[in-house]
Amino acid sequence: MRQLLAILLSIFAALAATPASAQFKTPEATVEGLYALYRASDSTGFNDKHTARFLEPAVARQFRSAKHIDADFFVQGQDFEIKYLTIEKPNVAGDKATIVVTFKNFNKPNRLTYTLAKSPNGWQIADVSNGKTTFRAMLRASQ
């Protein structure tokens, strides 16, 4: 009985130490995981519950404190119907990476460049550019 209890306690301790959401091991996995949030039929897209998993901590804090976000930067609109999603091969330099993503949202073509950083939390989004502005600039403006 003591042996069974010891085994159960070690399993519980291992599970308690595991993050609720798996870390992303590659930059591509981060971006693929992000757009998977938009492709499910019952999806509401990206929201507060996703910040810790996908965004660097400083960016996650900015997102959570934003007061007036008019559109979802990741889909370049308030609503979404993502088609023709292409995630290009990343350019990785040490613990930084950039990835270009193209897609159509309600038939409007979009091209975003993601900047990601690798940390103990895996690969996370540091910023995104649409060629005119950035995700972080949008968050700063919405404070």
Side-chain angles (χ1 to χ4, degrees):
M1 184 63 145
R2 285 186 189 176
Q3 194 173 24
L4 177 60
L5 182 58
I7 291 170
L8 290 174
L9 286 174
S10 10
I11 291 171
F12 178 73
L15 289 174
T18 304
S21 299
Q23 299 171 343
F24 293 109
K25 294 182 180 180
T26 66
E28 302 98 307
T30 306
V31 176
E32 288 167 358
L34 175 69
Y35 283 98
L37 298 173
Y38 297 94
R39 300 191 98 182
S41 61
D42 61 344
S43 176
T44 59
F46 187 85
N47 58 51
D48 285 347
K49 71 180 180 181
H50 302 117
T51 58
R53 184 168 189 211
F54 287 95
L55 304 178
E56 277 189 325
V59 182
R61 283 190 298 277
Q62 272 188 297
F63 184 85
R64 282 191 230 98
S65 67
K67 294 180 175 102
H68 306 288
I69 297 177
D70 291 331
D72 185 330
F73 201 88
F74 303 128
V75 296
Q76 297 291 288
Q78 292 179 339
D79 299 313
F80 54 91
E81 181 181 82
I82 303 302
K83 293 185 178 174
Y84 310 109
L85 176 68
T86 302
I87 300 170
E88 295 183 11
K89 184 178 177 188
N91 180 5
V92 180
D95 63 353
K96 301 286 184 205
T98 56
I99 298 179
V100 174
V101 174
T102 57
F103 59 90
K104 286 188 176 184
N105 187 14
F106 291 108
N107 262 349
K108 181 183 175 205
N110 293 278
R111 177 186 169 95
L112 301 177
T113 302
Y114 282 78
T115 303
L116 296 100
K118 187 177 184 181
S119 72
N121 297 326
W123 285 95
Q124 293 179 306
I125 298 166
D127 207 355
V128 186
S129 172
N130 64 8
K132 296 176 186 170
T133 190
T134 66
F135 182 56
R136 291 181 92 154
M138 180 201 71
L139 293 175
R140 279 191 300 276
S142 68
Q143 300 296 311

